[in-house]
Amino acid sequence: DTAVSQTPKYLVTQMGNDKSIKCEQNLGHDTMYWYKQDSKKFLKIMFSYNNKELIINETVPNRFSPKSPDKAHLNLHINSLELGDSAVYFCASSLQGRGYTFGSGTRLTVV
Amino acid sequence: AQSVTQLDSQVPVFEEAPVELRCNYSSSVSVYLFWYVQYPNQGLQLLLKYLSGSTLVESINGFEAEFNKSQTSFHLRKPSVHISDTAEYFCAVSYTGGGNKLTFGTGTQLKVEL
């Protein structure tokens, strides 16, 4: 029954590693997003996909690469992880911007 | 470009007292407005939203917010808070011309004390 599910919930990894976070929504929404919440709880959009097409790509290092195999999935791959990448990453989906549903978040800790 | 300002980073209040969390936005086009709540170590939950119609919107747990176009505000209110309302509250805005991007304010920490 989970509307937006993302995995894993926690991710602890060493600097320099490559990791992926997966997201799936079963709401039939047309747009999916990745948001980053930093240590001060500020939420900032990273990427947005509408029907598998990238429509928003904020100023994010090239080490971050989103992939949307279909409308219901949006994954985030991060190369060469750095200490500053430590944050909580939220996946979200919406239908024409009229309502947004968020996943429970992935807490990434880079050591 | 749209932006959201939450003037208060922290709001301490005693239980059963009223509270108002302020939110102002800037946008040159029509917007949709949202309030989200985040409990400690949890995700974001939609509290209420304004899309169109009545400017006063209510949530199921006693919160309400009023869209004021002339003042570009969407303040959140509750007449009597409970300890369980302690959380971080985020105001957010989107408009269809921006790729449906949801822009958040910096959040207000509501701390309810006995």
Side-chain angles (χ1 to χ4, degrees), chain A residues 29-44:
Chain A
H29 286 173
D30 55 6
T31 310
M32 295 186 72
Y33 313 79
W34 279 110
Y35 279 82
K36 179 181 180 180
Q37 185 173 43
D38 62 23
S39 58
K40 296 184 179 179
K41 300 202 172 181
F42 183 62
L43 283 150
K44 184 172 169 53

Side-chain angles (χ1 to χ4, degrees), chain B residues 45-91:
Chain B
Q45 299 176 30
L46 178 65
L47 195 57
L48 44 76
K49 63 183 176 183
Y50 170 80
L51 302 181
S52 65
S54 173
T55 57
L56 183 66
V57 290
E58 298 176 353
S59 71
I60 58 173
N61 56 355
F63 283 94
E64 65 177 30
E66 186 158 20
F67 169 55
N68 188 318
K69 188 174 182 179
S70 62
Q71 296 187 4
T72 60
S73 69
F74 192 55
H75 301 330
L76 182 70
R77 302 183 183 94
K78 189 170 185 179
S80 176
V81 294
H82 190 266
I83 286 284
S84 59
D85 293 325
T86 295
E88 190 86 21
Y89 291 79
F90 293 94
C91 183

Side-chain angles (χ1 to χ4, degrees), chain A residues 35-103:
Chain A
Y35 279 82
K36 179 181 180 180
Q37 185 173 43
D38 62 23
S39 58
K40 296 184 179 179
K41 300 202 172 181
F42 183 62
L43 283 150
K44 184 172 169 53
I45 191 168
M46 300 173 69
F47 303 102
S48 170
Y49 271 76
N50 180 275
N51 290 322
K52 295 171 42 178
E53 181 183 348
L54 180 66
I55 56 172
I56 295 175
N57 185 349
E58 297 288 302
T59 307
V60 177
N62 290 338
R63 299 181 294 103
F64 290 79
S65 55
K67 283 186 173 55
S68 181
D70 55 54
K71 280 195 337 179
H73 296 84
L74 179 61
N75 304 322
L76 182 65
H77 189 75
I78 316 170
N79 289 326
S80 304
L81 278 155
E82 300 177 357
L83 292 176
D85 297 332
S86 295
V88 181
Y89 293 84
F90 286 101
C91 177
S93 69
S94 78
L95 184 63
Q96 299 174 357
R98 298 173 67 84
Y100 298 77
T101 303
F102 283 80

Side-chain angles (χ1 to χ4, degrees), chain B residues 1-100:
Chain B
Q2 57 190 9
S3 66
V4 181
T5 302
Q6 291 182 247
L7 294 169
D8 306 303
S9 59
Q10 290 185 338
V11 173
V13 63
F14 288 110
E15 194 173 34
E16 297 184 4
V19 70
E20 177 180 83
L21 307 184
R22 295 179 292 171
C23 173
N24 289 87
Y25 67 93
S26 66
S27 177
S28 57
V29 297
S30 295
V31 295
Y32 299 143
L33 293 158
F34 306 84
W35 275 99
Y36 281 86
V37 59
Q38 185 176 32
Y39 297 101
N41 297 314
Q42 292 191 27
L44 294 157
Q45 299 176 30
L46 178 65
L47 195 57
L48 44 76
K49 63 183 176 183
Y50 170 80
L51 302 181
S52 65
S54 173
T55 57
L56 183 66
V57 290
E58 298 176 353
S59 71
I60 58 173
N61 56 355
F63 283 94
E64 65 177 30
E66 186 158 20
F67 169 55
N68 188 318
K69 188 174 182 179
S70 62
Q71 296 187 4
T72 60
S73 69
F74 192 55
H75 301 330
L76 182 70
R77 302 183 183 94
K78 189 170 185 179
S80 176
V81 294
H82 190 266
I83 286 284
S84 59
D85 293 325
T86 295
E88 190 86 21
Y89 291 79
F90 293 94
C91 183
V93 62
S94 75
Y95 68 101
T96 56
N100 297 329

